Amino acid sequence: MSRFVLLSPNGDFDQKLRAAVANGLRGSVQTIASDILPAGPAELFALLNQEQPEVLIIGPDVPYEEALRFAKVFDVQLPGLSLVLVSDVDPSFLLHAMRAGIRDILSPQADAAEIRVLLERACQSFATRHRTPEAQGETNGKGLVIGVFSPKGGVGKTTLATNIAIGLGQIAPMSVVIVDLDLQFGDVASGLYLNPEHTVTDAVSPAAAQDSLVLKAFLTVHPAGIYALCAPPNPVDADHITPEQITRLLQQLAQEFQYVVLDTAPGMPEIGLAAMEQCTDVVWVSAMDIPSLRGLRSGLEVLRQLEIMPESRHVVLNMADAKSGLNVQDVESTIGAPVDVSVPRSRAVALSTNRGIPVLQESKKDPAVKSLRQLVERFNPAWRAQAQRKLHRRVVI
């Protein structure tokens, strides 16, 4: 069965699409070389001599009005399909395309790598909409929202957040987005060596809040197969972003992605607390010094009183150093909670941070890399299922 179906008379794009699919995507392409699209699903499947594919690509040289007509019919009769439009449409038409049922838009000038990225996303969207009832019950149809927090700055939050996102991208390609919620002085862009065209300011605009297609247009693609939504370049812009807007943004992203990773500002600003309420998991980060540990202990106590502590908590001791005069037992005694992952101080991590290439993006052998992979593994569905079974056995005993 063909996983991808192209509807277009454009032979050049047909070849480019097939090259993109052949280079890393499971499945094949079937083409209907016409600018007149089928009237409906029955006519399309008769032409294909097969059942429903996963992704329909409406290619170049198909009139825009014909594409919208086709999309509206399929959105009503087969809403689970992923419809992609290949067109240089004016931005003003994006809302019309979204409302017609088109899930994504691709430029005809896109190269094979860009096509492959978009098709992977379309397949992920198809898989999400076709989860079994059991799987939907496990996740409630939403992705994990993983917030990286610390009451104090300078403990390596951004380094951890970017490496978590890169590591999860290796588990679930094109299903991860990292959001920089340190809106005044965020470093996700530099941590990933990105120069984003759009930022959080665009992503919380009314148009993006109403349409996920518009929101996706504001995400920046990273070469490692993840998406990023970076902080605004001007700190003043942060004053115009409200906690309510961030809440809406995270709810949208959780519907679209398997993993949403948040890098947050130090302390507990209103934006951070609003984000925490949307988190399924919180990674608490502390360095191996008394001020950081006391700050974390106070922060945890405040959140317990506010009753907004997510159930899944992961305490990370970053830049751990035996020469600091403290050990893990001292840390646990100070913060009143067990340390889940200890990341040793590492020259490789420091160098990777300065280069803007997360250490997990490269195959380095380093004790810190091993610890970071252990942290990432905690969000792997297989690890979480095993942890739940262990917890269940302890409860039964």
Side-chain angles (χ1 to χ4, degrees):
M1 184 184 80
S2 299
R3 193 181 190 194
F4 307 99
V5 171
L6 172 64
L7 303 148
S8 173
N10 189 301
D12 291 340
F13 186 81
D14 182 28
Q15 292 181 2
K16 191 159 50 172
L17 175 65
R18 290 177 184 276
V21 171
N23 186 20
L25 287 177
R26 177 181 59 82
S28 60
V29 178
Q30 188 168 350
T31 302
I32 297 177
S34 172
D35 60 354
I36 303 299
L37 304 183
E43 184 178 333
L44 173 66
F45 297 155
L47 292 172
L48 297 175
N49 194 27
Q50 70 167 64
E51 296 180 354
Q52 176 179 329
E54 292 185 22
V55 184
L56 292 181
I57 303 113
I58 306 173
D61 301 334
V62 174
Y64 183 68
E65 295 76 12
E66 175 73 358
L68 289 187
R69 190 274 307 165
F70 179 85
K72 289 176 182 177
V73 172
F74 273 74
D75 191 46
V76 172
Q77 299 187 27
L78 287 174
L81 267 178
S82 287
L83 278 171
V84 175
L85 175 64
V86 184
S87 176
D88 284 324
V89 297
D90 186 275
S92 62
F93 288 106
L94 285 175
L95 293 180
H96 297 291
M98 176 68 178
R99 288 167 181 157
I102 291 171
R103 307 287 179 182
D104 225 325
I105 295 179
L106 179 69
S107 169
Q109 289 75 44
D111 59 24
E114 292 173 310
I115 295 172
R116 186 171 63 255
V117 165
L118 185 139
L119 292 182
E120 285 176 342
R121 184 167 68 194
C123 291
Q124 177 65 32
S125 178
F126 176 88
T128 299
R129 291 192 295 275
H130 287 78
R131 282 185 182 136
T132 63
E134 292 80 8
Q136 289 179 353
E138 290 174 6
T139 64
N140 199 26
K142 296 182 180 180
L144 294 184
V145 181
I146 304 163
V148 183
F149 292 84
S150 175
K152 295 184 68 66
V155 298
K157 277 190 297 78
T158 300
T159 297
L160 287 180
T162 52
N163 275 285
I164 289 171
I166 292 294
L168 290 173
Q170 295 165 354
I171 296 173
M174 306 316 301
S175 301
V176 180
V177 60
I178 180 170
V179 183
D180 194 342
L181 291 183
D182 188 349
L183 298 177
Q184 289 187 310
F185 305 107
D187 285 323
V188 165
S190 61
L192 293 174
Y193 202 66
L194 293 173
N195 184 23
E197 183 178 354
H198 302 286
T199 68
V200 175
T201 303
D202 303 297
V204 298
S205 64
Q210 294 171 14
D211 275 308
S212 294
L213 182 63
V214 177
L215 172 59
K216 288 179 182 178
F218 295 138
L219 304 181
T220 302
V221 179
H222 186 271
I226 66 171
Y227 294 89
L229 185 54
C230 301
N234 187 345
V236 176
D237 293 341
D239 296 336
H240 305 293
I241 299 175
T242 68
E244 293 75 19
Q245 288 175 313
I246 294 301
T247 296
R248 171 60 181 159
L249 170 65
L250 299 184
Q251 289 172 346
Q252 285 180 280
L253 292 174
Q255 292 286 355
E256 299 293 331
F257 290 91
Q258 188 173 343
Y259 296 103
V260 182
V261 180
L262 313 179
D263 183 27
T264 64
M268 295 183 184
E270 283 189 85
I271 293 290
L273 292 175
M276 190 176 294
E277 290 187 302
Q278 299 303 314
C279 286
T280 59
D281 296 73
V282 165
V283 176
W284 289 106
V285 187
S286 176
M288 210 165 186
D289 60 80
I290 293 299
S292 294
L293 297 173
R294 286 178 174 169
L296 179 55
R297 181 182 63 187
S298 299
L300 291 173
E301 182 57 36
V302 168
L303 292 172
R304 290 190 190 100
Q305 294 174 5
L306 294 175
E307 297 183 346
I308 60 172
M309 182 79 76
E311 293 182 8
S312 295
R313 182 187 66 191
H314 316 266
V315 176
V316 177
L317 183 59
N318 197 27
M319 299 178 285
D321 189 345
K323 298 178 181 179
S324 67
L326 299 175
N327 56 36
V328 173
Q329 289 74 25
D330 296 328
V331 171
E332 293 178 334
S333 176
T334 301
I335 65 176
V339 172
D340 297 298
V341 178
S342 181
V343 181
R345 189 178 296 277
S346 165
R347 291 181 62 186
V349 172
L351 178 61
S352 73
T353 300
N354 291 334
R355 293 170 59 208
I357 303 176
V359 71
L360 290 190
Q361 194 174 334
E362 303 176 305
S363 299
K364 289 186 176 291
K365 292 185 178 180
D366 188 272
V369 171
K370 182 178 179 181
S371 297
L372 288 169
R373 292 205 180 281
Q374 290 175 351
L375 175 58
V376 170
E377 190 64 21
R378 297 177 73 86
F379 309 109
N380 189 331
W383 184 92
R384 296 171 77 90
Q386 185 179 14
Q388 286 291 334
R389 287 195 295 269
K390 289 180 179 178
L391 178 61
H392 178 70
R393 283 199 295 269
R394 285 201 298 268
V395 171
V396 171
I397 292 172

